[in-house]
């Protein structure tokens, strides 16, 4: 409790410690606080940290009066010295022409923090005097001229882009990729890692033709070591499923080959088996089955660099993740016939290991669009026909392979992963697919989704027409099969063959039989309902029969060889199929003039009720509750051009939201200055959709096709998303839905506050990238505000930055200048990798090399590891252990596990690679295994 008498100081009596005596010349914490002019909490903190002389007595702190006097004097003297130093710094005479940070910022029209950053990094001429930066006016003038010259050069460079002059003999990444037979991302990655001779010039990589020739020659020499294998031709005796793998045994050898389930090999196939490779011998070439398919892809979005591995399933965790993703998207739907699956392996820690997959399967016999294209003379290799009739279809159906499914994780929609998967499906089909000893020449896809999301066309596939569907014949087919149900189940009528259409017919028959049982119908009643079906069938009938009836679907085709692609192009010109599913491009009317703000000020005025409490504040601070006003924006001048992307940034409370409300015509009170808006100015904000209806209903403004096209454009091309309510979407999907709503509402100025504030790093960049692309495509003005724009600014690529710091300080700067001030490093999420000589990869694949040694004490995580050669070839392995030892402690067992015949060979190889490795030097041994390959 505290007692107060007259003008005496308060004396605190602690009733819970009555034994504590108040000793003369001692003070408690409360007395010290009042004596030195600090709060009680500060005294407690100083006492705990030993910054003030004190002694703890029980639960209380005690202070000696004399020691506190000395401490107080020292503290006051220190404050006086600091004040004098600051005054000296402010008032000291500077040489003529000297400028401060604030003066430079004003002179160059950039922010003070940006000047500080340039000064600290040595990018602007200056010198430091004590705690202050000083700048010479003449040097700043020269620097300003130099920056203007560089900006002009950069503008010219951007204007000519790829048309820039190159010295004779230099090559670009795309030219090198085509020349050496690698993908663009692979060449880019090799250049960044220094594994291919190249030099970065600005934002571009340049390569010398002679150096590339030498590198290619060396790569071919190293690859020839792999090519010079001894091969045996063996017959497959048996294929035994082993979970997500399968084991192959041969009739002429005891060797076993473990492969992914997607490997296209079956009993009776002839296989060419080498030391580290295997392929099925086909009538028209070789279909590779080992090494397993695996290709690295790099995706750069804004400040992120994401690395994916497109591969066959070889690990249990990959199989489990694939099953979970497939179950989520397709529930109990079962594909028919042989299939091969390629997955997208992700290495970002907050997303699933598998973020997409594509399935390749055997083609159905019946496809009227395909028949129209193939019904003419065709001859490639030893495959030829004159007409595509029933007999030809049965004989050569396996010259066509079908894409049965393509799935991308929702948060990665709109980045081109679907197109990337189609490209790899074509590559896999071209080199690895075979059925009945025939490699395919054509890749096809038929799906309802292609009516609304034409990703196949974007991937280079060509529209050839529509499938017929089974609407005309479904009643007849079901009647025949159901009346012979027992014979069908016994395999007397429909026998299982290598084409999935027969399996599909049996599955439809079984669903029809189940429907008869559930509805209490007879076969005749079912057939009668099926005969009455049409395209305009009632919703209830479609719900009953959607697993039995197949409606026409658009079909896309692609040639897998040059001859097949030429044939396809010629036939499309001749047949001229009409694609009725091309959605009309989205249009938006851009603003017809600039948005002009001239010396705009906005003052917030409010009044509160006068009470005892508000009256006390009035007396203490002279602020009347009857008239509260403070400036939020002061003298802001700004021009926004049609189609510009503008980023508004600043700390919390700097006026970002008020500025956006001003542009939304919400803020008018306390406004001064001039605002000129175009005649057709239609602003709209990113706002939540307040509806309990499914998203497809909310966004439907015209026909369903246009709505689905719109949702595909913003990255919402998912069947489950179509039927979800807005509140059921993820944060990233909600941003996309808000964008779709803005487009559908025909606004031409899009405004978003607290942009991406609730999104993770990857989703923020994906959303920002997609948003700015669509805004520029439609030529609308995009204005977003954020207090932490560094997480997505590189992806947003703003044209203009409005920096609001306080009501009296703001800056408008070019977007390029702001982006340059951000950290240039990228956030990389890449696969764990380790370099290895190309000559060792065959040993890894054959199982002879099960470890590798490296100098030093290195760290590796258990799990997937890429052993990557300079040639661009690599092999995926699983790290099983990491051990550190001295060079002199290596053993014969270490040598044998590393693929060497003796310890001396291992030591020699290490010393050749690390000449400075001493006997006591540390060596890291990484042990690994491979899931697939030869097994003994």
């Amino acid at each position: 409790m505290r007692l107060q008498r007259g003008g005496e100081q308060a004396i605190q009596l602690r009733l819970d410690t009555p034994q504590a005596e108040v000793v003369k010349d001692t003070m408690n914490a409360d007395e010290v606080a009042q004596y030195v002019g600090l709060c009680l909490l500060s005294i407690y903190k100083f006492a705990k940290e030993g910054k003030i002389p004190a002694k703890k007595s029980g639960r209380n702190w005690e202070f000696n009066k004399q020691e506190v006097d000395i401490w107080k004097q020292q503290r006051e003297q220190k404050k006086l010295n600091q004040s004098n130093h600051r005054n000296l710094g402010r008032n000291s005479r500077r040489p003529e022409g000297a400028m401060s940070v604030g003066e430079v910022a004003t002179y160059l029209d950039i922010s003070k923090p940006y000047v500080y950053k340039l000064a600290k990094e040595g990018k602007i001429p200056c010198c430091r005097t004590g705690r202050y930066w000083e700048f010479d006016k003449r040097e700043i003038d020269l620097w300003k001229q130099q920056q203007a010259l560089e900006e002009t050069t950069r503008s010219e460079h951007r204007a000519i882009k790829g048309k820039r002059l190159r010295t004779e003999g230099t090559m670009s990444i795309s030219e090198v990729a085509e020349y050496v037979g690698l993908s663009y991302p692979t060449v880019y990655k090799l250049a960044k890692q220094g594994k291919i001779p190249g030099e970065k010039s600005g934002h571009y990589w340049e390569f010398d033709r002679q150096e590339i020739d030498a590198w290619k020659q060396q790569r071919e020499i190293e690859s020839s070591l792999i090519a010079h294998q001894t091969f045996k031709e063996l017959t497959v005796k048996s294929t035994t499923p082993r979970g997500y793998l399968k084991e192959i045994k041969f009739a002429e050898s005891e060797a076993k080959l473990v492969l992914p389930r997607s490997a296209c090999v079956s009993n009776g196939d002839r296989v060419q088996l080498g030391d580290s490779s295997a392929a099925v011998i086909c009538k028209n070439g070789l279909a590779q089955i080992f090494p397993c398919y695996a290709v690295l892809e790099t995706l750069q979005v804004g400040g992120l660099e994401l690395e994916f591995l497109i591969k066959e399933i070889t690990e249990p965790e990959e199989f489990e993740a694939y099953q979970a993703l497939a179950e989520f998207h397709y529930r109990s739907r079962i594909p028919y016939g042989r299939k091969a699956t390629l997955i997208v392996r992700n290495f970002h820690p907050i997303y699933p290991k598998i973020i997409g997959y594509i399935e390749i399967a055997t083609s159905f016999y019946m496809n009227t669009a395909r028949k129209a294209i193939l019904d003419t003379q065709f001859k490639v290799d030893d495959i030829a026909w004159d007409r595509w009739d029933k007999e030809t279809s049965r004989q050569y159906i396996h010259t066509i392979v079908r894409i049965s499914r393509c799935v991308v994780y929702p948060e990665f929609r709109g980045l081109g992963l679907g197109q990337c998967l189609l490209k790899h499906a074509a590559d896999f089909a071209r080199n690895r697919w075979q059925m009945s000893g025939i490699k395919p020449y054509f890749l096809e896809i038929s799906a309802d989704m292609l009516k609304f999301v034409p990703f196949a066309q974007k991937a280079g596939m060509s529209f050839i027409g529509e499938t017929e569907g089974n609407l005309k014949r479904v009643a007849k087919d079901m009647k025949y099969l159901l009346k012979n149900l027992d014979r069908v189940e016994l395999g007397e009528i429909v026998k299982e063959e290598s084409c999935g259409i027969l399996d599909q017919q049996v599955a439809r028959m079984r669903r029809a039989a189940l429907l008869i049982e559930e509805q209490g119908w007879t076969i005749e009643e079912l057939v009668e309902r099926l005969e009455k079906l049409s395209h305009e069938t009632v919703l209830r009938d479609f719900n009953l029969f959607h697993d039995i009836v197949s409606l026409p679907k658009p079909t896309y085709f692609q040639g897998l060889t040059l001859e097949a692609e030429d044939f396809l192009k010629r036939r499309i010109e001749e047949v001229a199929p009409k694609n009725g599913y091309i959605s009309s491009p989205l249009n938006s009317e851009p603003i017809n003039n600039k948005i002009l703000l001239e010396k705009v000020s906005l003052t917030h005025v409010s009044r509160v009720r006068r009470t005892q409490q508000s009256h006390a504040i009035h007396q203490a601070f002279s602020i009347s509750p009857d008239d509260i006003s403070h400036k939020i924006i002061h003298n802001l001048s700004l021009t926004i051009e049609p189609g510009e992307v503008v980023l508004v940034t600043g700390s919390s409370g700097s006026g970002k939201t008020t500025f956006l409300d001003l542009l939304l015509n919400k803020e008018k009170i306390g406004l001064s200055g001039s605002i000129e808006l175009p005649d057709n100015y239609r602003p709209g904000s990113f706002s939540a959709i307040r509806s309990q209806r499914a998203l497809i209903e909310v966004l439907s403004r015209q026909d369903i096709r246009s709505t689905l096209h719109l949702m595909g454009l913003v990255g919402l091309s998912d069947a489950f998303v179509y039927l979800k309510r807005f509140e059921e979407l993820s944060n990233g999907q909600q941003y996309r839905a808000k964008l779709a709503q803005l487009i559908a509402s025909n606004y031409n100025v899009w405004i978003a506050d607290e942009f991406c504030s609730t999104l993770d790093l990857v989703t923020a960049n994906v959303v920002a990238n997609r948003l700015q692309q669509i805004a520029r495509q439609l030529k609308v003005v995009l204005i977003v505000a954020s207090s932490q724009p560094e997480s997505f600014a590189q992806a947003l690529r703003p044209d203009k930055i409005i920096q609001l710091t306080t009501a009296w300080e703001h800056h408008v700067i070019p977007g390029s200048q702001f982006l340059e001030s951000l950290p240039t490093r990228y956030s990389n999420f890449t696969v764990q990798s380790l370099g290895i000589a190309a000559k060792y990869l065959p040993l890894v694949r054959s199982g002879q090399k099960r470890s590798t040694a490296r100098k030093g004490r290195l760290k590796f995580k258990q799990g997937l590891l890429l052993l990557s050669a300079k040639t661009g070839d690599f092999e995926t392995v699983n790290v099983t252990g990491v051990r550190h030892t001295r060079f002199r402690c290596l053993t014969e067992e270490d040598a044998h596990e590393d693929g060497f015949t003796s310890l001396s060979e291992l030591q020699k190889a290490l010393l050749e690679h690390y000449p400075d490795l001493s006997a006591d030097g540390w060596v890291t041994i990484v042990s690994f295994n491979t899931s697939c390959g030869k097994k003994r």
Side-chain angles (χ1 to χ4, degrees):
M1 67 182 284
R2 180 175 295 179
L3 303 178
Q4 194 86 12
R5 288 185 183 173
E8 295 178 2
Q9 290 183 342
I11 301 175
Q12 185 169 343
L13 301 179
R14 296 189 179 273
L15 301 179
D16 54 347
T17 54
Q19 303 90 340
E21 297 182 12
V22 181
V23 183
K24 190 176 181 181
D25 293 334
T26 62
M27 307 172 71
N28 61 28
D30 200 8
E31 292 171 332
V32 173
Q34 294 186 38
Y35 181 60
V36 300
L38 294 174
C39 68
L40 189 61
L41 289 176
S42 297
I43 298 299
Y44 277 129
K45 182 179 178 183
F46 288 165
K48 284 182 180 180
E49 296 173 352
K51 293 181 179 180
I52 188 172
K55 182 175 71 171
K56 198 160 189 178
S57 175
R59 294 173 57 188
N60 302 318
W61 286 96
E62 291 186 352
F63 304 82
N64 184 280
K65 179 71 165 54
Q66 293 179 344
E67 291 176 346
V68 170
D69 282 336
I70 296 172
W71 180 84
K72 182 181 179 183
Q73 292 174 9
Q74 291 174 344
R75 184 169 178 272
E76 290 174 348
Q77 184 62 42
K78 184 178 180 180
K79 289 173 66 177
L80 181 63
N81 293 341
Q82 290 174 344
S83 177
N84 291 337
H85 182 74
R86 283 195 296 269
N87 292 333
L88 180 63
R90 291 192 186 104
N91 300 326
S92 58
R93 293 186 61 188
R94 292 184 303 185
E96 187 177 353
M99 303 174 73
S100 65
V101 171
E103 291 168 338
V104 171
T106 304
Y107 182 62
L108 299 177
D109 194 23
I110 57 178
S111 65
K112 287 174 66 175
Y114 187 54
V115 176
Y116 275 122
K117 178 178 171 59
L118 292 174
K120 288 171 113 179
E121 294 176 353
K123 295 181 178 178
I124 190 170
C126 61
C127 64
R128 191 161 187 170
T129 305
R131 295 171 56 193
Y132 301 96
W133 289 97
E134 286 192 354
F135 305 81
D136 185 88
K137 178 73 164 53
R138 289 169 296 182
E139 292 178 346
I140 293 299
D141 284 334
L142 290 173
W143 184 85
K144 185 177 180 182
Q145 294 173 10
Q146 181 65 26
Q147 292 301 303
L149 181 62
E150 289 179 4
E151 179 61 31
T152 302
T153 304
R154 281 195 295 268
S155 299
E156 293 173 354
H157 185 71
R158 285 193 295 268
I160 61 175
K161 288 187 177 178
K163 299 179 181 178
R164 66 191 189 284
L165 293 174
R166 296 201 311 244
T167 57
E168 188 176 354
T170 60
M171 305 173 73
S172 66
I173 289 184
S174 57
E175 291 169 338
V176 171
E178 184 178 357
Y179 182 61
V180 302
L182 296 174
S183 66
Y184 185 100
T186 300
V187 175
Y188 177 72
K189 183 177 177 66
L190 290 173
K192 286 181 68 179
Q193 295 175 344
K195 293 181 178 179
I196 188 171
E199 182 180 349
K200 196 163 188 181
S201 175
H203 294 288
Y204 302 92
W205 282 94
E206 290 187 349
F207 305 84
D208 183 81
R209 178 61 180 264
Q210 293 181 343
E211 292 178 349
I212 293 299
D213 282 336
W215 181 86
K216 184 181 179 184
Q217 186 177 6
Q218 179 63 29
R219 180 172 179 264
E220 289 171 351
I221 292 172
E222 293 178 350
S223 298
S224 67
L225 298 173
I226 301 173
H228 293 156
Q229 304 179 54
T230 56
F231 290 100
K232 298 178 182 178
E233 287 192 11
L234 305 174
T235 303
V236 176
K237 176 183 176 182
S238 66
T239 59
T240 308
R242 303 292 187 198
Y244 52 93
L245 303 173
K246 58 184 176 186
E247 184 181 84
I248 309 299
K249 292 183 180 179
F250 302 98
E252 304 89 344
S253 172
E254 294 183 359
K256 297 178 183 178
L257 193 60
V258 177
L259 299 171
R261 290 286 290 272
S262 52
C264 296
V265 58
S266 53
N267 294 350
D269 285 342
R270 293 288 291 172
V271 172
Q272 186 184 80
L273 183 64
D275 299 329
S276 60
S277 66
V280 175
I281 302 171
C282 302
K283 298 174 185 176
N284 52 344
L286 295 175
Q288 188 176 8
I289 54 176
F290 184 76
C292 304
Y293 188 88
V295 179
L296 273 174
E297 288 283 2
T298 302
L299 181 67
Q300 189 169 306
V301 185
L304 296 180
E305 192 170 276
L306 304 173
E307 197 169 75
F308 304 115
L309 192 60
I310 315 293
K311 65 188 295 289
E312 296 174 86
I313 297 173
T314 59
E315 308 302 330
E317 59 183 11
E318 294 173 349
F319 184 65
E320 292 172 5
Y322 154 72
Q323 282 188 313
L325 188 59
E327 177 67 17
F328 175 77
H329 282 273
Y330 285 95
R331 305 295 166 87
S332 58
R333 299 183 190 177
I334 301 171
Y336 306 100
R338 170 180 281 179
K339 72 168 185 177
T341 304
L342 297 179
I343 58 172
V344 184
R345 181 72 188 265
N346 162 60
F347 302 99
H348 193 289
I350 71 171
Y351 285 105
K353 287 185 174 64
I354 306 302
I355 59 168
Y357 68 88
I358 193 165
E359 289 180 353
I360 310 164
T362 49
S363 283
F364 298 136
Y365 279 118
M366 300 300 295
N367 187 315
T368 51
R370 180 211 303 155
K371 182 181 185 303
I373 293 293
L374 300 181
D375 195 20
T376 189
Q377 287 186 346
F378 176 85
K379 188 178 188 310
V380 177
D381 302 322
D382 293 330
I383 307 296
W385 62 78
D386 293 325
R387 294 285 308 276
W388 189 263
D389 52 22
K390 186 175 181 179
E391 185 59 34
T392 305
S393 175
R394 287 188 176 275
Q395 185 179 358
Y396 291 122
I397 186 63
H398 301 308
T399 57
I400 304 128
V401 62
R402 174 177 63 96
I403 293 172
S404 58
R405 292 176 180 175
C406 184
V407 173
V408 175
Y409 185 70
E411 300 303 329
F412 286 85
R413 299 282 169 84
L415 290 179
L417 270 182
Q419 300 165 46
C420 179
L421 281 170
L422 283 178
K423 180 188 74 172
H424 286 284
D427 189 35
F428 184 93
R430 184 181 298 112
N431 299 307
R432 294 172 178 263
W433 184 270
Q434 66 85 25
M435 280 291 295
S436 302
I438 297 178
K439 294 182 65 179
Y441 291 103
F442 300 99
L443 178 69
E444 75 174 1
I445 180 172
S446 298
D448 285 311
M449 178 63 74
L450 294 174
K451 298 175 183 177
F452 317 112
V453 186
F455 70 98
Q457 185 176 0
K458 293 180 180 178
M461 301 186 76
S462 302
F463 176 80
I464 62 168
E466 284 187 334
T467 62
E468 185 180 20
N470 70 348
L471 193 60
K472 295 179 181 178
R473 66 177 190 275
V474 64
K476 181 180 177 182
D477 290 348
M478 289 302 106
K479 181 179 180 179
Y480 175 76
L481 292 173
L482 288 168
K483 285 188 174 182
N484 295 276
L485 181 61
D486 294 336
R487 295 175 63 197
V488 171
E489 294 292 2
L490 291 173
E492 294 179 9
I493 295 180
V494 179
K495 294 182 180 180
E496 187 173 340
E497 297 182 15
S498 57
C499 235
I501 186 66
L502 303 179
D503 295 333
Q504 190 180 52
Q505 283 286 72
V506 173
R508 286 173 177 165
M509 176 201 70
R510 289 170 180 158
R511 286 195 289 266
L514 182 62
L515 185 60
I516 288 175
E517 184 180 346
E518 289 175 349
Q519 300 294 325
W521 295 337
T522 64
I523 294 177
E524 287 70 22
E525 288 175 327
L526 172 74
V527 171
E528 183 182 357
R529 287 177 176 269
L530 287 173
E531 288 174 342
K532 291 180 179 179
L533 283 178
S534 65
H535 290 77
E536 291 78 29
T537 183
V538 297
L539 296 179
R540 180 179 179 277
D541 283 347
F542 182 79
N543 185 50
L544 287 173
F545 297 121
H546 76 278
D547 283 335
I548 301 173
V549 174
S550 172
L551 297 177
K553 300 178 179 66
T555 299
Y556 286 78
F557 237 51
Q558 178 182 345
L560 296 176
T561 66
L562 290 175
E563 297 90 341
E565 186 64 19
D566 289 341
F567 169 85
L568 178 61
K569 289 179 180 177
R570 176 172 58 84
R571 287 297 293 158
I572 289 175
E573 288 181 3
E574 293 171 355
V575 176
K578 293 183 180 180
N579 189 350
Y581 298 110
I582 299 176
S583 300
S584 56
L586 293 174
N587 292 312
S588 179
E589 181 190 17
I591 56 175
N592 55 20
N593 211 335
K594 302 175 182 179
I595 300 173
L596 297 175
L597 282 74
E598 187 69 30
K599 294 184 178 180
V600 170
S601 297
L602 190 65
T603 303
H604 182 74
V605 180
S606 66
R607 295 179 180 179
V608 298
R609 189 165 57 95
R610 183 174 289 275
T611 62
Q612 290 184 351
Q613 292 83 355
S614 61
H615 182 70
I617 296 299
H618 188 184
Q619 287 183 314
F621 299 99
S622 299
I623 299 176
S624 172
D626 300 325
D627 185 19
I628 304 173
S629 65
H630 64 277
K631 280 193 179 297
I632 301 173
I633 298 173
H634 181 64
N635 277 352
L636 173 63
S637 296
L638 171 68
T639 301
I640 300 176
E641 302 286 345
E644 274 194 326
V645 176
V646 180
L647 171 62
V648 184
T649 183
S651 60
S652 299
S654 59
K656 299 186 299 296
T657 300
T658 303
F659 174 72
L660 297 185
D661 287 343
L662 188 66
L663 294 176
L664 286 167
N665 295 320
K666 291 182 181 179
E667 288 287 348
K668 293 296 183 183
I669 301 174
L671 178 66
S672 63
S674 169
I675 300 179
E676 295 182 19
L677 300 175
D679 297 334
N680 62 342
Y681 180 80
R682 295 188 302 274
S685 64
F686 278 67
S687 55
I689 298 174
R690 309 293 183 188
S691 175
Q692 291 299 305
R693 294 184 297 163
L695 201 59
I696 188 67
E697 293 182 63
V698 176
L699 296 176
S700 291
R701 294 289 188 271
Q702 301 172 6
D703 60 290
I704 185 67
R705 187 176 300 166
S706 299
T707 304
L708 289 176
H709 175 67
L710 168 63
M711 295 182 72
L713 181 69
V714 299
L716 290 175
S717 53
D718 184 279
F720 291 104
V721 170
Y722 297 153
L723 301 177
K724 285 184 178 181
R725 301 180 181 90
F726 178 81
E727 62 188 24
E728 296 169 342
L729 303 176
S730 69
N731 284 335
Q733 290 170 339
Q734 286 184 349
Y735 265 94
R736 293 176 171 96
K738 292 175 185 177
L739 173 57
Q741 182 178 233
L742 278 178
I743 298 173
S745 301
N746 202 28
Y747 295 117
N748 56 12
V749 178
W750 300 347
I751 297 175
D753 197 7
E754 297 296 335
F755 184 63
C756 292
S757 60
T758 60
L759 302 184
D760 63 83
L761 190 60
V762 173
T763 306
N765 278 267
V766 170
V767 169
N769 180 63
R770 194 65 175 162
L771 178 61
Q772 62 89 11
Q773 285 179 344
I774 297 174
R776 295 181 200 278
Q777 177 186 338
L778 299 180
K779 298 179 181 179
V780 302
V781 173
L782 172 63
I783 305 172
V784 304
S786 173
S787 57
Q788 295 178 322
E790 59 276 1
S791 62
F792 62 81
Q794 298 282 0
L796 187 67
R797 293 172 48 216
D799 301 302
K800 191 168 292 179
I801 306 294
I802 303 172
Q803 291 180 318
L804 302 177
T805 52
T806 61
W808 58 88
E809 184 179 342
H810 55 262
H811 302 278
V812 179
I813 62 175
S816 58
Q817 180 180 320
F818 177 77
L819 294 179
E820 287 175 4
S821 70
L822 296 176
T824 55
R825 67 177 182 85
Y826 285 96
S827 299
N828 297 323
F829 300 94
T830 57
V831 60
Q832 182 178 226
S833 62
L834 184 64
I836 191 172
K839 62 182 180 180
Y840 294 131
L841 285 178
L843 299 178
V844 173
R845 289 167 179 155
S846 64
Q848 299 176 54
K849 184 178 177 67
R850 297 176 295 277
S851 71
T852 184
R854 293 292 185 273
K855 176 187 174 183
R857 294 175 62 92
L858 307 179
K859 294 182 180 180
F860 292 90
K861 298 177 183 177
Q862 290 202 348
L864 190 71
L865 173 71
L866 251 64
L867 296 177
S868 176
K870 289 184 177 180
T871 59
D873 192 13
F874 63 84
E875 183 62 33
T876 59
V877 298
N878 282 301
V879 176
T880 56
V882 179
R883 182 168 62 90
H884 301 107
T885 186
R886 304 283 186 180
F887 178 74
R888 55 181 168 78
C889 297
L890 291 171
T891 64
E892 290 287 344
E893 184 181 357
D894 292 331
H896 293 149
E897 288 292 306
D898 210 334
F900 294 93
T901 56
S902 65
L903 176 60
S904 59
E905 278 191 14
L906 171 62
Q907 291 173 334
K908 181 181 177 182
L910 283 171
L911 289 173
E912 285 179 356
H913 199 70
Y914 307 110
D916 58 340
L917 182 60
S918 64
D920 288 329
W922 283 103
V923 175
T924 300
I925 297 177
V926 183
S927 301
F928 52 79
N929 62 29
T930 54
S931 300
C932 299
K934 282 186 178 181
K935 304 295 178 183
R936 293 176 175 80

